[in-house]
Amino acid sequence: MIFSKYHALGNDYLVLDPQDCPQCPSPEDTVKICHRNFGLGSDGILYGPEKTDEADFALRILNPDGSEAEKSGNGLRIFSRYLFDTGRVSGEPFTVKTLGGIVTCEVRDGGDEIEVEMGKVSFDSEKIPVIGEPREVLDEPIEIKGKTWTSYAATIGNPHVVLPMEKVTKELACEIGPILETMIGRFPNRTNVQLLQIIDRNNIKIEIWERGAGYTLASGSSSSAAAAVAHKMGACDSDITVHCPGGDIGIRIGEDFAINMVGPATRVGRYEMDEAVLKQTLPEA
């Protein structure tokens, strides 16, 4: 298998082109490929471009635990940069189909800046989904390890839970993130987790625990969800810079919480993986 590796503010993906590998990796193979010690190491695999009649390109997003994600903002920026680097797109907008819907992307400044129309954020419990009576999931208490937090839930094609607090830390994200992610009695499809700190009307800071990937330095869909929550709370305006541990992502919130995201994607290199990687038996976690 031949992979191209990119990162978006430290959130790294391996792009696997169907021209180089006609079959998408199995969940078991995905785990081995993404393993930081026994494989190439990444926060996931972007398999594409695949053919579709519904958009210009189709993309599958594989998490490092073998599950498949509906949407990834950073993944879409990286995929857009890969399409640009391989000559499939230029500076004109194009569409990409994901499990979480069709988005419009545009590569600018020679690939250094990518804008993605992420779709609309919804707080509807049935769309996210969140267990319980139909409602917008806003300002709800949630108990974790004996402590009660305020939570908001949202979807932008994939599920998110956002916890506003005075100060966010990596340590807290790693402590409560995995508990929230797998709280199936509340989030039946699991969930991405963001700890949200409001800085001012146009700036927020987040720490991220990503479903299927764990602690993450940056996330486009997480930035979109957290910014939408900050705006819904009335704490922020419609143009928000999201400060992630890996860097900044620009979010613009339009009518009905339509999200435009702007950020970079960086090419790391091209790798040929030996088949021995897939023959390994990984140690139990």
Side-chain angles (χ1 to χ4, degrees), residues 136-276:
E136 283 198 323
V137 187
L138 309 173
D139 198 21
E140 293 191 355
I142 191 166
E143 185 174 323
I144 311 161
K145 300 178 71 173
K147 183 173 181 178
T148 301
W149 304 85
T150 297
S151 69
Y152 293 72
T155 179
I156 191 163
N158 58 350
H160 297 264
V161 62
V162 181
L163 276 62
M165 55 188 64
E166 289 187 5
K167 184 178 181 180
V168 298
T169 66
K170 174 183 177 179
E171 291 73 22
L172 185 59
C174 292
E175 178 185 354
I176 67 176
I179 298 172
L180 285 163
E181 177 197 354
T182 56
M183 197 176 283
I184 304 301
R186 191 179 184 102
F187 308 110
N189 291 346
R190 298 190 295 163
T191 187
N192 298 283
V193 181
Q194 297 91 48
L195 309 186
L196 166 64
Q197 178 181 336
I198 307 294
I199 300 174
D200 56 35
R201 298 292 306 181
N202 300 106
N203 291 272
I204 64 174
K205 180 180 179 181
I206 62 172
E207 290 283 354
I208 308 154
W209 182 270
E210 203 163 28
R211 182 186 57 166
Y215 181 75
T216 306
L217 293 177
S219 167
S221 64
S222 293
S223 295
S224 301
V229 166
H231 187 61
K232 186 76 169 179
M233 292 167 59
C236 287
D237 299 329
S238 57
D239 288 300
I240 300 173
T241 298
V242 183
H243 302 273
C244 305
D248 298 344
I249 294 176
I251 300 293
R252 185 171 68 254
I253 304 171
E255 187 175 351
D256 294 329
F257 284 88
I259 302 293
N260 276 56
M261 173 196 66
V262 177
T266 303
R267 185 173 61 246
V268 176
R270 188 167 168 86
Y271 302 87
E272 180 177 352
M273 190 190 76
D274 195 275
E275 64 179 7

Side-chain angles (χ1 to χ4, degrees), residues 1-7 12-17 20 40 42 44-46 78 82 85-86 88 266-272:
M1 294 183 182
I2 304 294
F3 294 89
S4 295
K5 189 169 187 176
Y6 290 75
H7 79 83
D12 59 339
Y13 279 90
L14 296 163
V15 183
L16 182 60
D17 198 312
D20 297 321
L40 292 180
S42 74
I45 296 173
L46 305 175
I78 286 172
Y82 175 76
D85 289 344
T86 54
R88 292 175 167 98
T266 303
R267 185 173 61 246
V268 176
R270 188 167 168 86
Y271 302 87
E272 180 177 352

